[in-house]
Structures are given as C-alpha cells and as structure tokens.
Amino acid sequence: MLAEKYAARIDQIFSKYPTKRSAVMPLLHLAQEEFGYVNEEAIQQVAVLCDMDPTQVQSIAGFYTMYSERPKGKYWLQVCTDLACALRGADKFHKELKEHLGVEEGGTTEDGLFTVEHVMCLAACDKAPMLQCNFHFEENLDMDKMKARIEAWRAEAAAEKSGAKKASAKTKA
Amino acid sequence: MKTMNIIYREKDIPNIREYDVYVANGGYDALKKALGQKPTEVIDTVKASNLRGRGGAGFPTGVKWSFIPQSEPIKYVVVNCDESETGTFKDRQIIENNPHQLIEGALIAAYAIQATAVYIYLRGEFWDQAFDLDARIEEARKGGMVGKNIAGSGYNCEVYTHVGAGAYICGEESALLESLEGKLGQPRVRPPFPANKGGGLYGEPTVINNVETLANVPWIITNGPDAFKKIGTEQSAGTKIFCVSGNVEKPANYEVPMGTTIRELLFDLAGGISGGRQIKALLPSGGSGPIIRINGNDDPILDTPCTYEDIAAKTGSILGSASFIVIDETVDITWVASKVTKFFKHESCGKCTPCREGTYWLDKTLDRIMRGEAKESDVDLIANVARNMQGVTLCALGDFAANPIIHTIKNFPEDFKSHIGAAKTPAAPKTAAAAGD
C-alpha cells in the first residue's frame, strides 16, 4: 500500500495544500513510480487517499499525458518532434531511433527495455534533437550518441538483473 | 551586439544558483527593502516601471497586482512555470541557473498583495528541475527568507512547488488553477477573474505571473522604476529573453534590451541562418502567433525593433513570449502549418466545441493537402474552419490554433498551391533542413 510505504512523503505532499484533492496529481506521479504505470490499483489507492471517486481520479489520469495507463519499457523514450525540433532533424532522428530498436510508434522492444514515442514540445528547442528518458532530458543527440546511450542502458539493466540474482541467491543461502 | 543579463545573471556570476552566492551578490536585498515599505508602495514601484507580463500577454504587472482586494484575509501568488509553447525554453533556464531570483521576485509579489502562500506550477516534464527548486526553497528557508517572519519583518509566506503532468493548456491561467486544485486542466468561465473573490485559487484572490516577469522584480525594487525604463522603450521597458530556435547556427536564449532588432538577434547573436541559407519566415511567438514572411536575409523587415509595439505595427504579428522559431528557404510552409496544427489538436483540452472539433478537421484536411490529394477548395475550407474558431472559445487556444492556418495561407499561398494536384507524394517534408542536414 502506498499509504504505508510512503507515509512521510504523502504527509509532505498533503501539507502543501488546503484541500486533499490538490494532491491527486503528485500522488498519481508517486503511484506511477511505484507500479510502473497508473493501473487500477493505483487509481483505487489514490482515490482513497484524496477522498475522491475513483472515476474522477481516472479522468485525471486520462487527461494528462505523463500518466501512462499501460506498462512501458524500463526506459521510456519520448522524442520531441514538434516544429522547432523538427527543423533541426528530430523527425529523422525519431524514425532512425525506432528502426534501430525495431519498434513501431508507441511500441516496446521484446526484451521490455525500451518504449519509443513522440511527444509535444519539451522546452529544449535549442538542444534538438532531444528526448526524455523516464522524464530526464537527453539533449543535443544524434544517432551515434544515441546508440552509445542505448548500450549503456542495456548494460545498466543487465547489471541490475545479475545483481538481483546474486542478491536472491544470497538470501536463499 | 551584446546581451544584458538582468535575469540570466549566471552568465556573469557562475554558481549564482546557490543561496550563498546569490546573497553575496546582493540577493534578497530587494526583498528586505520591499518588506520595509508599505505593500502599496511596492505595487506603485512595479507599476511605475512599466514591467509587462513576459508570459505572452504583455499585461502591466503592477496593474495586475493592484486588482487584488487587500481586505481579503487569504490571497495567493501563483507562478506560471508551465512553459509549454512550441519554441519556448526561457523559464527553464531561469529555474535551473538563477532560481533564487524567481523565489525572491515571487515573495516580493506576495508581500505586495499580502499573500499567504506562493505556488510555483511547473510543467511535469520539469521533473528534475522541480526537485532542485525544492532544495533551493529550503536553502532560502534556512536563510530566513521563506516561511515565518521573513527577514525578521513579521511577514509570513510559504513557497511550494507543484508539478503538472503534461498539458499545454495548463499554461492558460484559469486551467492552471483548475489543475492545481486537482481537476482537469480546462479553462474557467470568467468572470469572476482570478484577482476576484471566487475566481482565484481555491476561490481566493490570486495573482498569476510568469517566471521571467517575477525574476525582473528584484532588479526593479533595487534599482528603481526609472532605471528599468531606461532599458528598452517607453512601452516595452527592460530586457527580454528571446528563445531563438529552428534554422539558425546558434539556437539559444538571448537576453537583450527590448528594441534590439530581429537582425541583431538572428545574425549577430544567433550566428545567422543555418548553412548560410536565406530566411523565409519567422514565428516570433512560438506556434501560436501569426507567421511573418521574410524575403531573404536582406529583407528590411529584419530591421524591426523587437518591442511589443513595433512587432505588432510593422510585422502584423505579436511579440508574445518572444519564442523566435526561424524558418529557412528550404522549408515548406504547408508542412509548418501541419506541424503546428498537430500540436494544437493534441493540446486542445476538449471543453469548447470550436477548438476541439476545429483542430481535428484542420489536421485531417492538412494531412490530405500534404498527401497531394486535396482540391483547391480545401485550402479555402481550412481557412474558413480557422476563422470560425476565432473569438468563440473560453480561452485563447482556439485563436492560437486558428493563427497558423490563417496567416500561413495569407503569407505563403504559393506553398499551399504547390500541393494541389501534385503527385501523391508522402507527407514527409522535402526540405534539406527539415530532414536534418
């Protein structure tokens, strides 16, 4: 349960506002962090916390684009292809990135690591092409830099996986 | 041609983002000075400076503050850091590099209207920046500048950040308030206006200002309104940050005195048009303002001073948020119209029918034009649809979405004509620049 696991953080969020409802967006962000996406459980728990109807919480989750209602890859790559970035090659970059990873728009690689989609302006027009990976900005990109980043993320994911295996082996021992 | 850094002080003082460095360079002195004055004196100073809102509308800041009824016990200052207009990236640089100047400016505004709290609404994608800003607010709190009894004055005011979740419409002030209250980001019916009881945040009188606007305030309090008016022009006082993007050699934010010409900005500062090409068009206020036709690098329109009044009178466009998207000779303006329309179609909140349906049909018809499947009458059709979106929606997004259509067709009819009866080519832009050379 979010309420127990993140009690201090939730209290801190509620302390900012005179109404419980104002906390719905920060709590949906927290739930997405916990569950990887905004699933039914997230909706229910946030509704209880904010004293709202689950339908109202669902409508908030559906309205704002940063809440995902489907699972995403471990690395959620959102490429800005808006006008200012497109004038500096963002459409081409976006297309090549999808080809490199072998995914369609909005698709996730078979290993579950990467989801690629395009997004609207991210306020980084002077550093195009750019993308956000799990909401962190990666800027001044080209495909060579991108391929190196992808390899680094793959290595990071593999290290985490083997680390987790070792940890569970230790627990068993 | 030089920049003038009233806001981007990190260019002159590295690490000014840190509280101690900011204070060592006069930081929070303006707040202390303001706290020693009557709130109405602070409002009068800002009024006299002619500071105008930097978010796009250009409304006089001091006048906005004076609308707040002083008699109400609970009042708010809301900082609009939703920065989402295509081509705009100036506020992000302020919160990343000179955050205390924003916090100080917001607190001066808060004192002037006797607000009980400040909320800084950041677009959700400023995720890392929001955490950093929280840390800066805590630094200021430790320094006695935020919270109870600020600088020993007896004035109390909290400063909070609030993170959105990806919606352009939340930059519209009433939609921003809805979002902050935990609702869908959709504009409100006005009146009541945010300054009035019943119209602001939680129904309390509220001032909503852009980040850049508030970051100007400490300088004005310290140096006085006359010094501020000496920079720029009478109607457009001070500096302005220009976000220059698109087909230029050095895209970046440039802070310059108002009245700097378009040519100085694009050629002296931004290094000229990419690849030595000719300029074809300029969007001076991101995707939402009318497009300016520019017939190459010798066009005298480039000598227009960048002020609210000159851009309006001499180019027929608006200065707005000063997000200069530069478009070179290789770019098809129909493609530009299509790109910008896709943005507004995606960002329409769906509340008002003309905007919700209009953006959908504009996008659909533009796709047809881009595929080479359109009739000549389709160009008139989208112009007609766009005109029917103007002035009939609760917020300006309807007008913003109509602008790119109406003004691209008016200023670049030949670009639209080139698609009529054309071979059925894929919609991809044929331009070297757009393809990313």
Side-chain angles (χ1 to χ4, degrees), chain A:
Chain A
M1 294 290 277
L2 295 170
E4 283 100 51
K5 191 167 172 188
Y6 298 100
R9 206 165 140 193
I10 291 170
D11 282 348
Q12 194 265 333
I13 290 171
F14 277 123
S15 74
K16 291 183 180 184
Y17 313 103
T19 68
K20 280 192 161 183
R21 183 166 183 150
S22 273
V24 65
M25 289 174 67
L27 290 177
L28 278 171
H29 279 304
L30 179 69
Q32 180 159 279
E33 236 178 86
E34 174 67 14
F35 299 110
Y37 68 109
V38 179
N39 57 13
E40 185 56 35
E41 203 182 332
I43 298 284
Q44 295 294 341
Q45 291 194 28
V46 171
V48 171
L49 283 166
C50 295
D51 216 356
M52 284 168 75
D53 193 285
T55 316
Q56 291 172 322
V57 178
Q58 183 80 56
S59 80
I60 300 285
F63 183 87
Y64 295 96
T65 54
M66 283 174 71
Y67 301 127
S68 176
E69 294 171 278
R70 285 180 299 131
K72 300 282 179 187
K74 181 175 169 63
Y75 301 96
W76 181 10
L77 308 181
Q78 297 178 296
V79 185
C80 175
T81 57
D82 228 334
L83 177 63
C85 278
L87 286 166
R88 304 187 72 81
D91 280 332
K92 187 166 172 258
F93 173 78
H94 175 224
K95 185 168 165 274
E96 287 175 1
L97 176 60
K98 284 187 293 184
E99 283 167 3
H100 178 70
L101 289 170
V103 289
E104 298 290 321
E105 174 64 16
T108 302
T109 52
E110 278 177 19
D111 57 10
L113 285 186
F114 300 100
T115 301
V116 183
E117 63 188 21
H118 78 99
V119 286
M120 297 300 163
C121 190
L122 291 174
C125 321
D126 54 337
K127 301 180 179 76
M130 62 81 61
L131 56 76
Q132 59 178 6
C133 173
N134 303 343
F135 310 146
H136 305 292
F137 287 3
E138 301 275 337
E139 301 174 315
N140 294 313
L141 296 170
D142 56 38
M143 271 316 288
D144 285 340
K145 275 190 203 166
M146 201 58 222
K147 283 173 189 169
R149 289 296 291 133
I150 287 167
E151 285 319 306
W153 282 322
R154 279 186 177 137
E156 180 183 79
E160 277 174 27
K161 217 173 169 181
S162 68
K165 264 185 198 162
K166 269 181 206 158
S168 73
K170 252 187 195 167
T171 322
K172 273 176 199 162

